[in-house]
Amino acid sequence: MKKQVYIISHSHWDREWYMPYEQHHMRLVELMDDLLALIETDPAFHSFHLDGQTIILDDYLEVRPEKRAAVQKAIQDGKLQIGPFYILQDDFLISAESNTRNMLIGMAESKKWGTPVMLGYFPDTFGNMGQTPQMMLQANLESTAFGRGVKPIGFDNEVLPDDQFISQYSEMHWEGPDGSQIFGLLFANWYSNGNEIPAERTAAKAFWDQKLADVEKFGATNHYLMMNGVDHQPVQKDITAAIRLANELYPEYEFKHASFTEYLAAVKEDLPSDLGTITGELTSQETDGWYTLANTASARVYLKQWNTRVSRQLENVAEPLATMAYDLTKAYPHDVLDHGWKTLMQNHPHDSICGCSVDEVHREMMPRFEKANEIGKYVAEEALRHLTAAIDTTDFPEGSRPFIVFNTAGTPRSGLVSVTVELARKTFREGLPSKLYHELKDAPKGHYQVIDAKGQPVAATISEEEVLFDYELPKDAFRIPFMKRFVTVQVAVEEMAEFSWETFALVEADVAVETKDAIVKEDGRQLVNAHLTIDIADNGSLAVTNQQTGDTFENLLVFENVGDIANEYIFKQPEGDQAILSTTFPHQIKVIENTDLVGVVEISQTLMIPSAADEQLAEEQKAVVDFRFRKAKRNQELVPFTMTTQVRLERDSQRVAFKTTVNNQSKDHRLRALFPTGIHVDFHEADSIYEVVKRPNQVSTHWENPTNPQHQHAFANLHDSHKGVTVSNFGLNEYEIVDDTICLTLLRCTGELGDWGYFPTPEAQCLGEHTFEYGVAFHGAPEERYETYKQAQAAQIPWTTAQMHRQAGTLAPRAQYIQAQGETMAITALKRSRYQDKIVLRGYNLADQETVFAVTKDHTTAELLNLLEEPMEGRLTPAIKPYEIRTIGLKEM
């Protein structure tokens, strides 16, 4: 039988990258115009793979709406191969739910047009998540194709000496941490190995002699894949002629213009028995370490912070509240939420969220984040309006001012919740705003306390009264502007159940409530609660004692500043560069807040750091000198780098929270916060996509990069058999384990894109003011670490609050909407299905051991769903396997 060569026409379409979005967009229109014309004029043209992302269709039809019928016909005829995703994401830098919604929305969009290509397509993702096998199977995808993460490596066929290949073939099995297994296809010769195939005899002979040798080097079967395209590649218009010529020149081969569906069917029927198996996440750990591209996690960190903010708003606030409100309204804003998700996901392609594009690209991302966030806020506010109108507050006394707190996280939480409580208002109909302002401001001040629905006092702090402008937008009338007098209340909630609410009220008191034993002591140099003692050392670092175990951790929160002469993709410290540490500079302490409920101390420091790299870096950048071989150093001009860090400890918290604000006026550098633990172990843990991944602390023998950066979402942890430390964060996706120290990257500043040319990116220097939020928690025995993991994830989710009237209602003042209890379960979604009349609750097992997961809601029946919200085979049991992702559908009886 002849060897089979499958030629797949495609163009890898980075939606935005080294040119602004609209530059790429207009070239996409040209590509699609040419493609549709070629389909119409060349009957032999088999098909074109539309890069696995349906957003291409939206982008094209935005400019060419009159081409809809032609696009539809090409898809129905199999000429355009579409789906199954909405965009080609960076899977490590977007949330687990964002990865799922990309499949859920992409599959739905594909099916509107025709039949999606049933292939998990990750051609240029910067590493691949370990849960890909389980996720693909739960989306009915049994195969995946990818370009990075294992060896042989991508476009240059890099093979390192004395290496035992993870896979000896470009085809392999891929097994996830839960044991799920799919077929994996590595683009061992990159996704351009069949690009620009010559249609002239001499050139074709030279081309195919080389290309066939390359592809056969790694092929496990006699079915070979040639990818006819590359980044933003125009369609090859003479491809059918080039294929006919190849068949003439090489009679022992059969060259065919094909689709992935045809290729996968053929190759999977002919796999050898010695096919290798790769496991877990694919991050090129067996390479020299330079091109893992993990430092994109710290490029333009403001993008990552915004992405976290919007993801939490959609996933953990808007959707749960809208789900709760459905019981009252029998309506759910599917279209509005889809619009919000699509807007957010437009920022999730790998060259976008990774921060590795030109400045214009990332400038355009900011309005998308803001728009998606406002959509999420609108959905949440509408749901909150319905919920608060239905909650009974008649148990509170006349004249009280009720307010409500929602915990929309999937785990019980304690904490100090802030809410604005209006005391009085005067509408603009009552007079001039300035007159109303002074009338309210000059009114006698009162004393207040907080009570619960049973009338019992609740621990709280209450601010001084203030007056400000506000307005209402009634659903059936014109807007109402007013001046309001209000206080800000911080109320302590304890072990508030997942997906629950609790109602309180502000009432007048005879005298001001006195503060008891305050948390801040020793003139601001110590903070103490029942769990932790924090001492600020003479050098500005922290020593924290875990009162449960008696362990003290010293030299925490030391800031490290070094130079960076590489690019948006990769960090490289200049040769001979010495780290500048915050502990070598003076510091000042200021007590910001001090009650029995919370203590906040501000540590101020001004480091003197170089203003930039020296002039040699600019020359090396312009000459496109590979960053590995640059000799630039930091210059000698020192400028102030001012930092203020608020250290916050709440009464009931086992976590210390930090908020660091910097005024960056320096270029070409990196800032990290260091947390030495004294824990010397071989592995650590961090949260990834539906997984707490266990990663080695040591690199492979081939590793040349002096650093080993890693991705995270909410936390990284080091622990031994006695104690552990969990460093949490908000939108700070890069960390590194250096010996016993968890190093959290706060800011990385660089002046060029990198990759294949010189593209200046002055805005990637991140000049100006930045604020970073993160924290540290401590635990004893290893099994206790999971609670710190769940609290780190919950810390990213804002509490939801609202003031209410004293009113009769159908909902209890304190209730739990749904119970989702599992000791090592992390909940990622509470929503309603678009396709069935069901509540959808999703979570995953944080642990490598089986756990029990119980989900209950009155008057509902439960069934097992996949990630596409379709019923799965098998009985729903309480037992959750290690690393299992579980989606449960609940339907009213």
Side-chain angles (χ1 to χ4, degrees):
M1 180 181 175
K2 291 184 177 182
K3 297 179 179 180
Q4 305 292 304
V5 180
Y6 299 80
I7 298 168
I8 296 179
S9 290
H10 79 110
S11 184
H12 176 55
W13 206 263
D14 299 299
R15 198 166 181 260
E16 49 195 12
W17 181 22
Y18 56 88
M19 294 184 296
Y21 164 67
E22 288 298 344
Q23 287 284 346
H24 288 289
H25 189 189
M26 295 305 104
R27 285 163 174 78
L28 173 65
V29 173
E30 291 179 357
L31 167 68
M32 291 294 293
D33 284 346
D34 289 346
L35 182 56
L36 291 174
L38 184 60
I39 288 170
E40 189 173 327
T41 57
D42 185 356
F45 186 88
H46 180 279
S47 61
F48 189 91
H49 183 70
L50 211 56
D51 205 35
Q53 46 179 329
T54 62
I55 197 171
I56 288 176
L57 299 172
D58 296 340
D59 290 345
Y60 177 60
L61 293 173
E62 181 182 22
V63 179
R64 294 272 197 266
E66 73 279 6
K67 294 289 188 178
R68 177 172 290 273
V71 169
Q72 181 68 74
K73 184 176 187 305
I75 293 171
Q76 288 178 340
D77 292 345
K79 299 292 186 179
L80 276 183
Q81 299 278 308
I82 64 167
F85 301 150
Y86 179 63
I87 51 96
L88 291 189
Q89 82 278 33
D90 181 90
D91 48 37
F92 279 118
L93 287 179
I94 67 173
S95 70
E97 282 301 313
S98 293
N99 276 282
T100 290
R101 307 313 169 87
N102 186 38
M103 295 194 297
L104 186 61
I105 290 176
M107 197 72 78
E109 292 289 302
S110 299
K111 290 176 180 177
K112 290 177 184 177
W113 291 98
T115 302
V117 178
M118 300 302 283
L119 170 68
Y121 196 60
F122 305 95
D124 198 18
T125 309
F126 300 166
N128 293 279
M129 52 198 173
Q131 287 281 35
T132 300
Q134 186 178 182
M135 293 174 66
M136 294 304 102
L137 290 177
Q138 288 203 23
N140 304 320
L141 303 172
E142 297 180 351
S143 304
T144 188
F146 49 92
R148 299 181 189 269
V150 302
K151 298 172 62 177
I153 302 164
F155 48 85
D156 59 3
N157 283 311
E158 182 184 353
V159 177
L160 298 173
D162 304 321
D163 187 33
Q164 298 298 314
F165 291 145
I166 297 173
S167 172
Q168 68 271 42
Y169 301 124
S170 51
E171 300 86 7
M172 61 203 73
H173 300 300
W174 185 0
E175 185 175 293
D178 72 312
S180 296
Q181 192 172 99
I182 57 175
F183 173 70
L185 171 66
L186 171 69
F187 294 122
N189 306 100
W190 208 229
Y191 53 74
S192 58
N193 66 330
N195 191 35
E196 297 183 346
I197 300 172
E200 186 274 325
R201 186 172 294 269
T202 302
K205 187 71 169 60
F207 177 91
W208 284 116
D209 283 350
Q210 179 64 53
K211 295 294 184 178
L212 291 172
D214 287 344
V215 75
E216 290 187 16
K217 182 177 182 180
F218 297 115
T221 73
N222 287 331
H223 303 276
Y224 302 117
L225 178 64
M226 306 299 298
M227 298 294 288
N228 177 231
V230 72
D231 302 353
H232 311 107
Q233 178 76 10
V235 61
Q236 182 172 343
K237 296 178 182 178
D238 63 351
I239 185 64
T240 56
I243 292 172
R244 285 194 296 270
L245 177 59
N247 278 310
E248 292 177 17
L249 292 174
Y250 297 85
E252 68 274 27
Y253 293 86
E254 181 180 359
F255 297 82
K256 56 181 73 175
H257 204 203
S259 68
F260 268 113
T261 301
E262 293 161 329
Y263 166 74
L264 289 169
V267 75
K268 289 169 75 172
E269 283 291 319
D270 203 20
L271 294 174
S273 59
D274 65 341
L275 201 67
T277 299
I278 56 173
T279 58
E281 61 182 16
L282 310 180
T283 53
S284 300
Q285 293 300 300
E286 297 299 322
T287 68
D288 63 10
W290 282 115
Y291 286 96
T292 64
L293 307 187
N295 289 123
T296 55
S298 58
R300 302 178 189 261
V301 72
Y302 60 91
L303 299 176
K304 284 69 171 179
Q305 292 172 304
W306 259 104
N307 184 61
T308 302
R309 181 180 297 116
V310 182
S311 298
R312 298 290 77 77
Q313 180 65 41
L314 288 173
E315 298 170 26
N316 304 114
V317 179
E319 289 183 342
L321 288 174
T323 303
M324 295 178 189
Y326 179 88
D327 286 2
L328 301 169
T329 65
K330 301 305 177 185
Y332 189 83
H334 289 293
D335 291 336
V336 175
L337 283 166
D338 279 357
H339 176 50
W341 274 110
K342 286 181 176 180
T343 304
L344 174 59
M345 286 193 292
Q346 287 173 27
N347 282 348
H348 286 171
H350 47 271
D351 295 304
S352 303
I353 192 60
C354 288
C356 56
S357 294
V358 293
D359 289 341
E360 294 89 340
V361 165
H362 301 300
R363 216 176 294 145
E364 188 169 356
M365 289 174 65
M366 297 309 293
R368 294 183 203 139
F369 279 133
E370 291 169 348
K371 288 194 290 186
N373 195 47
E374 292 303 323
I375 292 166
K377 286 167 61 178
Y378 175 81
V379 169
E381 289 163 3
E382 286 295 290
L384 200 56
R385 182 172 62 86
H386 291 292
L387 287 164
T388 54
I391 289 176
D392 190 292
T393 58
T394 54
D395 287 343
F396 292 108
E398 292 279 358
S400 64
R401 297 169 178 88
F403 62 90
I404 190 166
V405 176
F406 285 86
N407 175 20
T408 56
T411 190
R413 299 175 68 184
S414 299
L416 206 56
V417 182
S418 181
V419 58
T420 298
V421 178
E422 181 183 307
L423 303 173
R425 73 167 59 176
K426 290 181 178 290
T427 68
F428 282 15
R429 291 180 179 179
E430 299 176 60
L432 291 173
S434 58
K435 176 177 176 290
L436 304 176
Y437 173 84
H438 287 290
E439 287 178 358
L440 290 170
K441 187 174 182 181
D442 295 339
K445 305 295 188 292
H447 300 298
Y448 305 97
Q449 67 175 347
V450 175
I451 60 172
D452 62 20
K454 295 180 180 179
Q456 297 301 308
V458 177
T461 62
I462 301 165
S463 73
E464 294 292 325
E465 296 179 15
E466 298 181 67
V467 179
L468 278 177
F469 163 80
D470 206 343
Y471 65 92
E472 282 187 2
L473 295 176
K475 288 296 182 180
D476 55 356
F478 192 54
R479 63 176 181 255
I480 303 173
F482 56 87
M483 289 292 181
K484 69 177 182 181
R485 191 170 86 248
F486 66 95
V487 291
T488 300
V489 176
Q490 292 188 96
V491 59
V493 298
E494 298 181 15
E495 283 299 298
M496 192 170 178
E498 70 279 4
F499 305 118
S500 69
W501 63 79
E502 186 168 354
T503 310
F504 304 92
L506 186 72
V507 297
E508 294 188 4
D510 294 334
V511 294
V513 178
E514 293 184 6
T515 296
K516 300 177 183 178
D517 189 24
I519 286 177
V520 180
K521 307 176 187 303
E522 304 295 331
D523 296 324
R525 302 205 73 89
Q526 187 179 73
L527 298 90
V528 181
N529 69 7
H531 307 286
L532 303 172
T533 299
I534 305 168
D535 290 293
I536 302 175
D538 291 342
N539 62 7
S541 68
L542 304 184
V544 182
T545 299
N546 180 355
Q547 296 178 26
Q548 173 196 350
T549 65
D551 294 305
T552 297
F553 301 84
E554 297 181 331
N555 296 311
L556 303 179
L557 198 68
V558 174
F559 297 100
E560 171 205 77
N561 185 265
V562 298
D564 185 354
I565 58 171
N567 53 55
E568 291 180 317
Y569 292 94
I570 300 169
F571 163 81
K572 184 180 187 299
Q573 189 173 354
E575 295 178 11
D577 181 46
Q578 295 297 310
I580 298 170
L581 300 178
S582 60
T583 47
T584 62
F585 295 87
H587 69 277
Q588 295 79 42
I589 291 176
K590 179 180 179 182
V591 177
I592 303 299
E593 191 171 1
N594 189 23
T595 69
D596 59 328
L597 296 181
V598 62
V600 181
V601 174
E602 183 177 87
I603 305 173
S604 299
Q605 298 162 295
T606 298
L607 285 62
M608 298 301 294
I609 67 175
S611 63
D614 61 25
E615 294 179 356
Q616 186 171 349
L617 178 60
E619 287 299 308
E620 291 173 332
Q621 289 173 336
K622 287 187 286 187
V624 196
V625 174
D626 187 299
F627 68 90
R628 292 173 295 177
F629 309 121
R630 291 177 181 172
K631 301 301 180 182
K633 299 184 182 301
R634 303 185 83 174
N635 67 20
Q636 299 301 307
E637 178 192 6
L638 300 182
V639 297
F641 186 76
T642 303
M643 307 171 56
T644 60
T645 299
Q646 290 190 357
V647 181
R648 179 184 179 93
L649 183 64
E650 296 183 3
R651 181 187 66 181
D652 301 315
S653 181
Q654 299 184 52
R655 174 179 180 265
V656 188
F658 305 110
K659 179 184 287 187
T660 297
T661 299
V662 304
N663 182 8
N664 177 43
Q665 299 300 323
S666 183
K667 302 176 182 179
D668 311 312
H669 68 113
R670 183 189 68 186
L671 175 70
R672 301 200 297 191
L674 309 182
F675 294 89
T677 66
I679 299 170
H680 299 272
V681 288
D682 293 332
F683 294 89
H684 69 278
E685 292 183 337
D687 67 326
S688 188
I689 308 304
Y690 293 121
E691 178 185 11
V692 172
V693 63
K694 185 177 180 180
R695 293 173 176 147
N697 296 340
Q698 302 300 317
V699 296
S700 73
T701 56
H702 297 305
W703 201 269
E704 296 177 4
N705 187 343
T707 67
N708 182 24
Q710 302 286 349
H711 292 90
Q712 65 175 345
H713 278 272
F715 63 82
N717 169 277
L718 276 171
H719 67 272
D720 58 21
S721 60
H722 169 71
K723 61 183 180 298
V725 178
T726 300
V727 173
S728 54
N729 76 87
F730 186 94
L732 304 173
N733 294 108
E734 181 184 286
Y735 74 95
E736 183 182 6
I737 303 298
V738 179
D739 192 17
D740 70 330
T741 301
I742 301 173
C743 308
L744 176 66
T745 303
L746 304 184
L747 186 67
R748 191 167 71 86
C749 309
T750 184
E752 68 164 333
L753 189 158
D755 204 341
W756 59 276
Y758 175 47
F759 302 92
T761 57
E763 291 174 23
Q765 296 286 9
C766 299
L767 299 178
E769 189 169 287
H770 299 267
T771 298
F772 314 106
E773 297 183 47
Y774 50 108
V776 62
F778 308 87
H779 63 84
E783 60 269 18
E784 296 176 11
R785 70 190 188 275
Y786 297 113
E787 184 59 29
T788 70
Y789 295 175
K790 291 199 284 186
Q791 292 306 317
Q793 293 170 335
Q796 292 190 345
I797 302 170
W799 299 91
T800 297
T801 63
Q803 187 171 355
M804 298 184 299
H805 301 290
R806 187 173 180 277
Q807 64 194 23
T810 58
L811 298 180
R814 179 177 183 175
Q816 184 173 10
Y817 178 77
I818 192 170
Q819 293 180 324
Q821 297 175 342
E823 190 172 342
T824 61
M825 286 296 292
I827 308 303
T828 61
L830 176 65
K831 61 186 290 290
R832 289 197 69 88
S833 173
R834 188 181 186 99
Y835 312 105
Q836 304 177 61
D837 184 21
K838 288 185 180 129
I839 298 169
V840 173
L841 186 137
R842 182 163 34 253
Y844 68 99
N845 190 352
L846 295 160
D848 58 1
Q849 297 178 354
E850 188 176 277
T851 192
V852 173
F853 185 40
V855 177
T856 55
K857 186 178 187 302
D858 291 343
H859 312 299
T860 63
T861 58
E863 68 175 328
L864 192 62
L865 304 179
N866 64 16
L867 290 180
L868 300 182
E869 300 174 8
E870 302 164 338
M872 289 180 67
E873 293 184 3
R875 188 170 60 89
L876 186 61
T877 63
I880 301 284
K881 296 186 301 181
Y883 305 109
E884 180 183 343
I885 305 166
R886 178 165 291 189
T887 305
I888 295 172
L890 294 150
K891 186 175 178 61
E892 288 186 7
M893 292 187 290

